[in-house]
Every structure is written in C-alpha cells, then in structure tokens.
Amino acid sequence: MTTAKVHSICICQERGQLKKEIPEALFIENFGIQGDGHGGDWGRQVTCLSWDSVEKSNEERGLSMGPGDFAENVAIEGMDALDLQAGDRFRLGESAVLEVTQIGKPDHPSVVTRTFGVSLLPYEGRFCRVIQGGSVKPGDLVEKL
C-alpha cells in the first residue's frame, strides 16, 4: 500500500491570489489554516490536491508548476491511494482532521487559469472543512479515517 504524506503547505492572505509555500501550518477547527484568506465558516476552508497530478501536468504540458501554483493549500503525495470522496475524513500529521466537502469546483476563470493557462482544482481539488485542529508540516503522514 502507498503511504500518503504532506508534500507542501501553501497559503495566501487574500482570495484570488497565488499561494506561497510555508514550512508549517496551524489548522484551526471550523476555520481553516491560520493566515490563509480562505479561512472562515464555510465548506471550502482548505484545498487539497494530489502532488502526483501536479507532476503529471508538468510532464504532459512542459510546465514547471510548484507548490501553491495550482492554488492548493495542501499537496499530498500518494493522495490517489486514499481515494478521498465527499464525506470522507482524513488526518494530516498527529492531530489535524479534515472532512472532504466537495470535489472540484467551477473555474471562473481563476487566477491560476489566467496566469498559467491550466488548472487542476476544478476537476481534482478536494475542498475540506477542518474538523479538528493541529500543526502540520511537509513530510507528515496522511491517513484516511
């Protein structure tokens, strides 16, 4: 079985901006990630994306997209093995628990599409609520509950 782990964590101060990678994040219950503009009382507090999809897109399209370039908060290596569907819960690191609220979203077109001409979140993004808070950093294990 493939072990899933956090590849990177990225935030931005305001919605509609490209995200920047950070070394560690505090996930806050019923809010999202501390310092991220998407935090609040709604269903898309945290966005997760498969790092494997980022690498595949880079290879297929000749791009060099890195952490946060697809507007994801958390890139997960081995995410496909988790088979996360709406309603599923998963743990990041020791204690942060997220629940998938939806898969994909309309692309309006986003800052990612306007900047790079391609986007993955409308098709593959896992939008989540924070069920239980905790500190998370790259390399932490990801476990479906």
Side-chain angles (χ1 to χ4, degrees), residues 57-145:
S57 183
N58 280 341
E59 184 178 314
E60 289 176 350
R61 299 171 189 267
L63 300 170
S64 58
M65 304 288 277
D69 286 345
F70 280 112
E72 78 284 355
N73 289 117
V74 181
I76 300 174
E77 293 179 38
M79 187 168 102
D80 294 344
L82 299 172
D83 187 32
L84 297 173
Q85 303 300 315
D88 287 346
R89 291 184 176 193
F90 60 102
R91 179 182 300 113
L92 300 171
E94 301 267 329
S95 60
V97 175
L98 277 56
E99 179 180 80
V100 179
T101 57
Q102 72 183 66
I103 299 172
K105 70 177 185 89
D107 191 5
H108 36 21
S110 68
V111 65
V112 175
T113 304
R114 291 192 317 268
T115 305
F116 301 108
V118 62
S119 185
L120 294 176
L121 292 186
Y123 314 102
E124 299 183 28
R126 298 307 195 266
F127 296 90
C128 306
R129 289 184 322 115
V130 179
I131 302 302
Q132 179 177 308
S135 183
V136 179
K137 62 188 179 313
D140 283 351
L141 294 181
V142 180
E143 177 187 12
K144 187 174 179 179
L145 301 175

Side-chain angles (χ1 to χ4, degrees), residues 15 28-33 36-46 128-130:
R15 293 182 189 184
I28 302 169
E29 185 175 330
N30 295 320
F31 177 79
I33 300 174
D36 186 64
H38 289 83
D41 186 16
W42 70 315
R44 295 193 332 225
Q45 298 170 347
V46 177
C128 306
R129 289 184 322 115
V130 179

